[in-house]
Amino acid sequence: ALRLAGGRSRCEGRVELENQGMWGTVCDDGWDIPDGHVVCRQLRCGHAVRVHGNSHFGRGSGPILRDELGCAGNERHLWECPAAPEHDCSHKEDAGVVCSEHQEWRLSGGRDGCAGRLEVFFRGAWSTVCDSSWYGLESAVLCRSLGCGSPLRQLSYGHTLPGKMLYECGSLQPSLEFCHWTFNRSAPCHQSRAVGVVCNGTGS
């Protein structure tokens, strides 16, 4: 089994492998984008947009299961890639990756990180969010997931970033990625405005 841990979504984090019921990590020696591509594709998270070493997502625990990985990038599973037979690493060298299907959110242009225009990082770029299906529930999911309390007000802006995301939440989810979403579909976003939110909390 394979997973990403310590990130902000299931498609970002420290690379962890399971071996005989115990989870372990991958050393960052030789860790590069082709290695990350294999991880992201295996997890159905698209492709790698960034790779990290030096325990960027925190130090793992358990055995270090791979070192000096040499993936070509087209392998179906990470354990198919050539690796060193033994490692000379510690957990301060744990490898991590950010995949293209990872989503993160920010409110920009407001007085702090809890107010402003909503922007989503997805597939390697920041995009705006359409207001076509954005209601109180979606605002509540966003404010809570950012640690910003609950929504006070909804704002509207123009779309000035390259992509457009649309969210529809059926219930109070832990974050917007668990809601139904579509990216760069022109029909549902036709004549939409970009969502802005003011939450009642304060952020950096």
Side-chain angles (χ1 to χ4, degrees):
L2 176 72
R3 70 183 181 189
L4 296 177
R8 290 159 292 189
S9 79
R10 69 174 192 85
C11 293
E12 171 194 77
R14 180 178 60 252
V15 180
E16 295 192 347
L17 290 160
E18 186 185 25
N19 183 39
Q20 298 179 336
M22 183 178 288
W23 288 95
T25 62
V26 172
C27 183
D28 64 9
D29 292 345
W31 180 249
D32 57 15
I33 284 284
D35 303 327
H37 284 332
V38 175
V39 170
C40 294
R41 188 168 56 252
Q42 187 176 338
L43 293 173
R44 297 182 179 173
C45 285
H47 59 271
V49 293
R50 289 197 295 266
V51 290
H52 294 285
N54 300 318
S55 61
H56 179 85
F57 294 103
R59 295 187 185 193
S61 58
I64 295 167
L65 296 172
R66 288 289 186 279
D67 186 17
E68 298 286 355
L69 270 168
C71 302
N74 55 4
E75 294 88 349
R76 290 184 59 201
H77 301 101
L78 192 64
W79 41 85
E80 294 172 10
C81 300
E86 295 182 358
H87 75 83
D88 56 357
C89 303
S90 68
H91 283 298
K92 69 180 181 182
E93 299 169 84
D94 284 343
V97 65
V98 181
C99 303
S100 59
E101 298 299 293
H102 162 68
Q103 296 181 33
E104 63 186 84
W105 304 270
R106 67 185 181 194
L107 290 170
S108 70
R111 65 179 185 273
D112 57 29
C114 289
R117 184 175 74 171
L118 173 58
E119 297 172 359
V120 53
F121 185 80
F122 182 62
R123 296 183 182 166
W126 289 98
S127 299
T128 45
V129 175
C130 304
D131 65 3
S132 313
S133 62
W134 188 271
Y135 302 106
L137 183 58
E138 287 76 18
S139 292
V141 170
L142 172 73
C143 291
R144 190 172 77 159
S145 69
L146 292 177
C148 289
S150 54
L152 283 176
R153 206 151 44 97
Q154 186 169 320
L155 309 170
S156 285
Y157 296 88
H159 291 288
T160 56
L161 294 176
K164 294 179 184 178
M165 184 74 87
L166 185 90
Y167 292 101
E168 294 178 77
C169 301
S171 58
L172 193 58
Q173 298 288 348
S175 80
L176 291 170
E177 74 168 325
F178 295 99
C179 302
H180 177 70
W181 54 265
T182 54
F183 180 65
N184 272 359
R185 292 276 300 279
S186 58
C189 288
H190 183 60
Q191 293 185 329
S192 70
R193 299 275 291 162
V195 169
V197 179
V198 179
C199 307
N200 67 3
T202 55
S204 58

